[in-house]
Amino acid sequence: MDITHLLTRVLEVWRTTTTDDGYGGQETALVRRGDVPAKVDQPSASEQLLAQQTGARHTHSVYLLPDADVRRGDELRGDGQVLRVRSVVAPSGPVYRKAECELTEEEDDDV
């Protein structure tokens, strides 16, 4: 089964990286790791309830190719949205990967 035709968006993958600062400390920054084709959906009510019961926020499900390099803690960006990856799961067969994400919104400084 091929899901490529369902992946209608392209999202940027941003990952936190830590490097030595040259003075004995470290610097942390978000670095763009590449782009991935994706399908973004809202989770079902049961998926949202399960996330709430475990203390997590799950506002969007992002479906990816099985070999997509997306990890917990990454940010997926595209179409004005920033999605923080809370977990990544895969079915028993390598058909797709699913990133359970939380939509993050910037605060409006004008309010």
Side-chain angles (χ1 to χ4, degrees):
M1 180 175 168
D2 183 18
I3 67 161
T4 305
H5 66 284
L6 299 173
L7 308 179
T8 59
R9 291 178 61 180
V10 175
L11 300 176
E12 300 171 353
V13 178
W14 290 77
R15 185 167 297 148
T16 302
T17 59
T18 304
T19 57
D20 292 332
D21 66 5
Y23 299 100
Q26 295 181 327
E27 294 180 353
T28 302
L30 278 173
V31 175
R32 185 174 175 182
R33 302 285 298 190
D35 297 341
V36 292
K39 178 180 189 290
V40 180
D41 285 339
Q42 291 186 343
S44 68
S46 61
E47 289 175 318
Q48 290 179 8
L49 180 61
L50 181 61
Q52 289 173 354
Q53 289 174 341
T54 61
R57 297 231 340 135
H58 179 191
T59 64
H60 289 75
S61 296
V62 179
Y63 295 89
L64 308 154
L65 292 173
D67 61 348
D69 184 18
V70 173
R71 303 175 187 171
R72 180 175 178 245
D74 286 352
E75 284 187 2
L76 302 175
R77 300 179 183 180
D79 297 331
Q81 292 181 316
V82 177
L83 299 158
R84 170 73 62 179
V85 178
R86 297 297 180 198
S87 66
V88 180
V89 295
S92 57
V95 177
Y96 65 88
R97 293 184 81 190
K98 178 178 158 185
E100 296 176 350
C101 300
E102 178 182 1
L103 177 66
T104 60
E105 299 181 45
E106 291 186 27
E107 293 184 24
D108 188 359
D109 293 333
D110 297 332
V111 176

